[in-house]
Amino acid sequence: MPLYEHVFLARQDVSAQQVEQLVEQYKGLIEGAGGKVGKIENWGLRTLTYRIKKNRKAHYTLMNIEAPHAAVAEMERQMGLSEDVLRHMTFRVDELDEEPSAMMQKRDRDDRRGGGRGDRGDRGERPGGSRPPRRTEEE
């Protein structure tokens, strides 16, 4: 059976529970057609690059699917009819990755920037953490 990765975006004003209901609805549709859904990742409410149907944010969800093409086509058709789904995209893949996706892997902010706030080079630490005394005209 073909393998797919499917991502869909749900409107920002639906709750996380409603997103879970959507996932269960589409999962039931796939399983009813003889397929199976593997990993499901909820990426949460994220800001969109541009507005889609007057929405600035959306709930992102990834699903790994092993199903016949007809089942995936029917799921996409129903997503197109749903007002809660803003966008969806399906990729056919050679193998499904069971590890967490790149969106779910947490990286430490310091690792991405090359250090914390103390690594600015030209800003040395002064004793006592205060400014040097001001010069007066008498000096």
mmCIF file with all atom_site columns, all heavy atoms in Angstrom, residues 70-84:
data_model
loop_
_atom_site.group_PDB
_atom_site.id
_atom_site.type_symbol
_atom_site.label_atom_id
_atom_site.label_alt_id
_atom_site.label_comp_id
_atom_site.label_asym_id
_atom_site.label_entity_id
_atom_site.label_seq_id
_atom_site.pdbx_PDB_ins_code
_atom_site.Cartn_x
_atom_site.Cartn_y
_atom_site.Cartn_z
_atom_site.occupancy
_atom_site.B_iso_or_equiv
_atom_site.pdbx_formal_charge
_atom_site.auth_seq_id
_atom_site.auth_comp_id
_atom_site.auth_asym_id
_atom_site.auth_atom_id
_atom_site.pdbx_PDB_model_num
ATOM 1   N N   . ALA A 1 70 ? -7.531  5.889  -3.185 1.00 0.00 ? 70 ALA A N   1
ATOM 2   C CA  . ALA A 1 70 ? -8.944  6.277  -3.142 1.00 0.00 ? 70 ALA A CA  1
ATOM 3   C C   . ALA A 1 70 ? -9.335  6.787  -1.758 1.00 0.00 ? 70 ALA A C   1
ATOM 4   O O   . ALA A 1 70 ? -10.109 7.749  -1.639 1.00 0.00 ? 70 ALA A O   1
ATOM 5   C CB  . ALA A 1 70 ? -9.819  5.093  -3.543 1.00 0.00 ? 70 ALA A CB  1
ATOM 6   N N   . ALA A 1 71 ? -8.804  6.177  -0.714 1.00 0.00 ? 71 ALA A N   1
ATOM 7   C CA  . ALA A 1 71 ? -9.120  6.615  0.652  1.00 0.00 ? 71 ALA A CA  1
ATOM 8   C C   . ALA A 1 71 ? -8.549  7.999  0.922  1.00 0.00 ? 71 ALA A C   1
ATOM 9   O O   . ALA A 1 71 ? -9.218  8.854  1.517  1.00 0.00 ? 71 ALA A O   1
ATOM 10  C CB  . ALA A 1 71 ? -8.570  5.612  1.659  1.00 0.00 ? 71 ALA A CB  1
ATOM 11  N N   . VAL A 1 72 ? -7.317  8.235  0.472  1.00 0.00 ? 72 VAL A N   1
ATOM 12  C CA  . VAL A 1 72 ? -6.688  9.546  0.673  1.00 0.00 ? 72 VAL A CA  1
ATOM 13  C C   . VAL A 1 72 ? -7.420  10.609 -0.146 1.00 0.00 ? 72 VAL A C   1
ATOM 14  O O   . VAL A 1 72 ? -7.650  11.727 0.325  1.00 0.00 ? 72 VAL A O   1
ATOM 15  C CB  . VAL A 1 72 ? -5.192  9.481  0.316  1.00 0.00 ? 72 VAL A CB  1
ATOM 16  C CG1 . VAL A 1 72 ? -4.549  10.851 0.398  1.00 0.00 ? 72 VAL A CG1 1
ATOM 17  C CG2 . VAL A 1 72 ? -4.472  8.504  1.231  1.00 0.00 ? 72 VAL A CG2 1
ATOM 18  N N   . ALA A 1 73 ? -7.826  10.262 -1.358 1.00 0.00 ? 73 ALA A N   1
ATOM 19  C CA  . ALA A 1 73 ? -8.567  11.208 -2.201 1.00 0.00 ? 73 ALA A CA  1
ATOM 20  C C   . ALA A 1 73 ? -9.903  11.574 -1.558 1.00 0.00 ? 73 ALA A C   1
ATOM 21  O O   . ALA A 1 73 ? -10.315 12.742 -1.588 1.00 0.00 ? 73 ALA A O   1
ATOM 22  C CB  . ALA A 1 73 ? -8.778  10.616 -3.588 1.00 0.00 ? 73 ALA A CB  1
ATOM 23  N N   . GLU A 1 74 ? -10.584 10.606 -0.959 1.00 0.00 ? 74 GLU A N   1
ATOM 24  C CA  . GLU A 1 74 ? -11.857 10.884 -0.290 1.00 0.00 ? 74 GLU A CA  1
ATOM 25  C C   . GLU A 1 74 ? -11.639 11.767 0.942  1.00 0.00 ? 74 GLU A C   1
ATOM 26  O O   . GLU A 1 74 ? -12.426 12.685 1.199  1.00 0.00 ? 74 GLU A O   1
ATOM 27  C CB  . GLU A 1 74 ? -12.548 9.580  0.103  1.00 0.00 ? 74 GLU A CB  1
ATOM 28  C CG  . GLU A 1 74 ? -13.822 9.754  0.891  1.00 0.00 ? 74 GLU A CG  1
ATOM 29  C CD  . GLU A 1 74 ? -14.918 10.511 0.150  1.00 0.00 ? 74 GLU A CD  1
ATOM 30  O OE1 . GLU A 1 74 ? -14.881 10.622 -1.092 1.00 0.00 ? 74 GLU A OE1 1
ATOM 31  O OE2 . GLU A 1 74 ? -15.833 11.031 0.831  1.00 0.00 ? 74 GLU A OE2 1
ATOM 32  N N   . MET A 1 75 ? -10.566 11.513 1.691  1.00 0.00 ? 75 MET A N   1
ATOM 33  C CA  . MET A 1 75 ? -10.263 12.351 2.852  1.00 0.00 ? 75 MET A CA  1
ATOM 34  C C   . MET A 1 75 ? -9.995  13.790 2.403  1.00 0.00 ? 75 MET A C   1
ATOM 35  O O   . MET A 1 75 ? -10.502 14.745 3.008  1.00 0.00 ? 75 MET A O   1
ATOM 36  C CB  . MET A 1 75 ? -9.053  11.804 3.607  1.00 0.00 ? 75 MET A CB  1
ATOM 37  C CG  . MET A 1 75 ? -8.687  12.625 4.831  1.00 0.00 ? 75 MET A CG  1
ATOM 38  S SD  . MET A 1 75 ? -7.185  12.085 5.648  1.00 0.00 ? 75 MET A SD  1
ATOM 39  C CE  . MET A 1 75 ? -5.958  12.499 4.418  1.00 0.00 ? 75 MET A CE  1
ATOM 40  N N   . GLU A 1 76 ? -9.220  13.959 1.344  1.00 0.00 ? 76 GLU A N   1
ATOM 41  C CA  . GLU A 1 76 ? -8.931  15.301 0.841  1.00 0.00 ? 76 GLU A CA  1
ATOM 42  C C   . GLU A 1 76 ? -10.203 15.979 0.341  1.00 0.00 ? 76 GLU A C   1
ATOM 43  O O   . GLU A 1 76 ? -10.375 17.183 0.521  1.00 0.00 ? 76 GLU A O   1
ATOM 44  C CB  . GLU A 1 76 ? -7.892  15.232 -0.278 1.00 0.00 ? 76 GLU A CB  1
ATOM 45  C CG  . GLU A 1 76 ? -6.500  14.922 0.210  1.00 0.00 ? 76 GLU A CG  1
ATOM 46  C CD  . GLU A 1 76 ? -5.485  14.901 -0.912 1.00 0.00 ? 76 GLU A CD  1
ATOM 47  O OE1 . GLU A 1 76 ? -5.863  14.638 -2.076 1.00 0.00 ? 76 GLU A OE1 1
ATOM 48  O OE2 . GLU A 1 76 ? -4.308  15.153 -0.619 1.00 0.00 ? 76 GLU A OE2 1
ATOM 49  N N   . ARG A 1 77 ? -11.102 15.215 -0.285 1.00 0.00 ? 77 ARG A N   1
ATOM 50  C CA  . ARG A 1 77 ? -12.367 15.784 -0.765 1.00 0.00 ? 77 ARG A CA  1
ATOM 51  C C   . ARG A 1 77 ? -13.187 16.308 0.414  1.00 0.00 ? 77 ARG A C   1
ATOM 52  O O   . ARG A 1 77 ? -13.711 17.424 0.367  1.00 0.00 ? 77 ARG A O   1
ATOM 53  C CB  . ARG A 1 77 ? -13.168 14.733 -1.530 1.00 0.00 ? 77 ARG A CB  1
ATOM 54  C CG  . ARG A 1 77 ? -14.444 15.264 -2.168 1.00 0.00 ? 77 ARG A CG  1
ATOM 55  C CD  . ARG A 1 77 ? -15.268 14.151 -2.770 1.00 0.00 ? 77 ARG A CD  1
ATOM 56  N NE  . ARG A 1 77 ? -15.975 13.395 -1.755 1.00 0.00 ? 77 ARG A NE  1
ATOM 57  C CZ  . ARG A 1 77 ? -17.106 13.784 -1.149 1.00 0.00 ? 77 ARG A CZ  1
ATOM 58  N NH1 . ARG A 1 77 ? -17.654 14.935 -1.465 1.00 0.00 ? 77 ARG A NH1 1
ATOM 59  N NH2 . ARG A 1 77 ? -17.675 13.035 -0.236 1.00 0.00 ? 77 ARG A NH2 1
ATOM 60  N N   . GLN A 1 78 ? -13.253 15.528 1.485  1.00 0.00 ? 78 GLN A N   1
ATOM 61  C CA  . GLN A 1 78 ? -14.015 15.963 2.652  1.00 0.00 ? 78 GLN A CA  1
ATOM 62  C C   . GLN A 1 78 ? -13.357 17.148 3.353  1.00 0.00 ? 78 GLN A C   1
ATOM 63  O O   . GLN A 1 78 ? -14.042 18.020 3.892  1.00 0.00 ? 78 GLN A O   1
ATOM 64  C CB  . GLN A 1 78 ? -14.207 14.797 3.617  1.00 0.00 ? 78 GLN A CB  1
ATOM 65  C CG  . GLN A 1 78 ? -15.195 13.792 3.091  1.00 0.00 ? 78 GLN A CG  1
ATOM 66  C CD  . GLN A 1 78 ? -15.613 12.790 4.133  1.00 0.00 ? 78 GLN A CD  1
ATOM 67  O OE1 . GLN A 1 78 ? -15.392 12.979 5.330  1.00 0.00 ? 78 GLN A OE1 1
ATOM 68  N NE2 . GLN A 1 78 ? -16.237 11.710 3.684  1.00 0.00 ? 78 GLN A NE2 1
ATOM 69  N N   . MET A 1 79 ? -12.034 17.198 3.341  1.00 0.00 ? 79 MET A N   1
ATOM 70  C CA  . MET A 1 79 ? -11.347 18.356 3.915  1.00 0.00 ? 79 MET A CA  1
ATOM 71  C C   . MET A 1 79 ? -11.642 19.614 3.107  1.00 0.00 ? 79 MET A C   1
ATOM 72  O O   . MET A 1 79 ? -11.769 20.705 3.662  1.00 0.00 ? 79 MET A O   1
ATOM 73  C CB  . MET A 1 79 ? -9.837  18.117 3.981  1.00 0.00 ? 79 MET A CB  1
ATOM 74  C CG  . MET A 1 79 ? -9.423  17.223 5.097  1.00 0.00 ? 79 MET A CG  1
ATOM 75  S SD  . MET A 1 79 ? -7.636  17.168 5.233  1.00 0.00 ? 79 MET A SD  1
ATOM 76  C CE  . MET A 1 79 ? -7.468  16.211 6.714  1.00 0.00 ? 79 MET A CE  1
ATOM 77  N N   . GLY A 1 80 ? -11.743 19.469 1.804  1.00 0.00 ? 80 GLY A N   1
ATOM 78  C CA  . GLY A 1 80 ? -12.073 20.607 0.952  1.00 0.00 ? 80 GLY A CA  1
ATOM 79  C C   . GLY A 1 80 ? -13.470 21.151 1.225  1.00 0.00 ? 80 GLY A C   1
ATOM 80  O O   . GLY A 1 80 ? -13.728 22.340 1.051  1.00 0.00 ? 80 GLY A O   1
ATOM 81  N N   . LEU A 1 81 ? -14.379 20.280 1.654  1.00 0.00 ? 81 LEU A N   1
ATOM 82  C CA  . LEU A 1 81 ? -15.749 20.699 1.957  1.00 0.00 ? 81 LEU A CA  1
ATOM 83  C C   . LEU A 1 81 ? -15.882 21.285 3.358  1.00 0.00 ? 81 LEU A C   1
ATOM 84  O O   . LEU A 1 81 ? -16.821 22.032 3.632  1.00 0.00 ? 81 LEU A O   1
ATOM 85  C CB  . LEU A 1 81 ? -16.700 19.505 1.818  1.00 0.00 ? 81 LEU A CB  1
ATOM 86  C CG  . LEU A 1 81 ? -16.831 18.922 0.414  1.00 0.00 ? 81 LEU A CG  1
ATOM 87  C CD1 . LEU A 1 81 ? -17.661 17.657 0.443  1.00 0.00 ? 81 LEU A CD1 1
ATOM 88  C CD2 . LEU A 1 81 ? -17.423 19.944 -0.536 1.00 0.00 ? 81 LEU A CD2 1
ATOM 89  N N   . SER A 1 82 ? -14.961 20.950 4.250  1.00 0.00 ? 82 SER A N   1
ATOM 90  C CA  . SER A 1 82 ? -15.035 21.407 5.637  1.00 0.00 ? 82 SER A CA  1
ATOM 91  C C   . SER A 1 82 ? -14.638 22.877 5.749  1.00 0.00 ? 82 SER A C   1
ATOM 92  O O   . SER A 1 82 ? -13.627 23.305 5.196  1.00 0.00 ? 82 SER A O   1
ATOM 93  C CB  . SER A 1 82 ? -14.105 20.559 6.511  1.00 0.00 ? 82 SER A CB  1
ATOM 94  O OG  . SER A 1 82 ? -14.051 21.076 7.810  1.00 0.00 ? 82 SER A OG  1
ATOM 95  N N   . GLU A 1 83 ? -15.436 23.633 6.488  1.00 0.00 ? 83 GLU A N   1
ATOM 96  C CA  . GLU A 1 83 ? -15.111 25.046 6.712  1.00 0.00 ? 83 GLU A CA  1
ATOM 97  C C   . GLU A 1 83 ? -14.006 25.218 7.750  1.00 0.00 ? 83 GLU A C   1
ATOM 98  O O   . GLU A 1 83 ? -13.393 26.265 7.822  1.00 0.00 ? 83 GLU A O   1
ATOM 99  C CB  . GLU A 1 83 ? -16.355 25.803 7.159  1.00 0.00 ? 83 GLU A CB  1
ATOM 100 C CG  . GLU A 1 83 ? -17.402 25.925 6.083  1.00 0.00 ? 83 GLU A CG  1
ATOM 101 C CD  . GLU A 1 83 ? -18.615 26.706 6.545  1.00 0.00 ? 83 GLU A CD  1
ATOM 102 O OE1 . GLU A 1 83 ? -18.606 27.209 7.691  1.00 0.00 ? 83 GLU A OE1 1
ATOM 103 O OE2 . GLU A 1 83 ? -19.556 26.811 5.760  1.00 0.00 ? 83 GLU A OE2 1
ATOM 104 N N   . ASP A 1 84 ? -13.777 24.187 8.557  1.00 0.00 ? 84 ASP A N   1
ATOM 105 C CA  . ASP A 1 84 ? -12.759 24.281 9.606  1.00 0.00 ? 84 ASP A CA  1
ATOM 106 C C   . ASP A 1 84 ? -11.349 24.061 9.076  1.00 0.00 ? 84 ASP A C   1
ATOM 107 O O   . ASP A 1 84 ? -10.382 24.455 9.721  1.00 0.00 ? 84 ASP A O   1
ATOM 108 C CB  . ASP A 1 84 ? -13.046 23.266 10.714 1.00 0.00 ? 84 ASP A CB  1
ATOM 109 C CG  . ASP A 1 84 ? -14.288 23.623 11.505 1.00 0.00 ? 84 ASP A CG  1
ATOM 110 O OD1 . ASP A 1 84 ? -14.636 24.818 11.556 1.00 0.00 ? 84 ASP A OD1 1
ATOM 111 O OD2 . ASP A 1 84 ? -14.913 22.707 12.069 1.00 0.00 ? 84 ASP A OD2 1
#
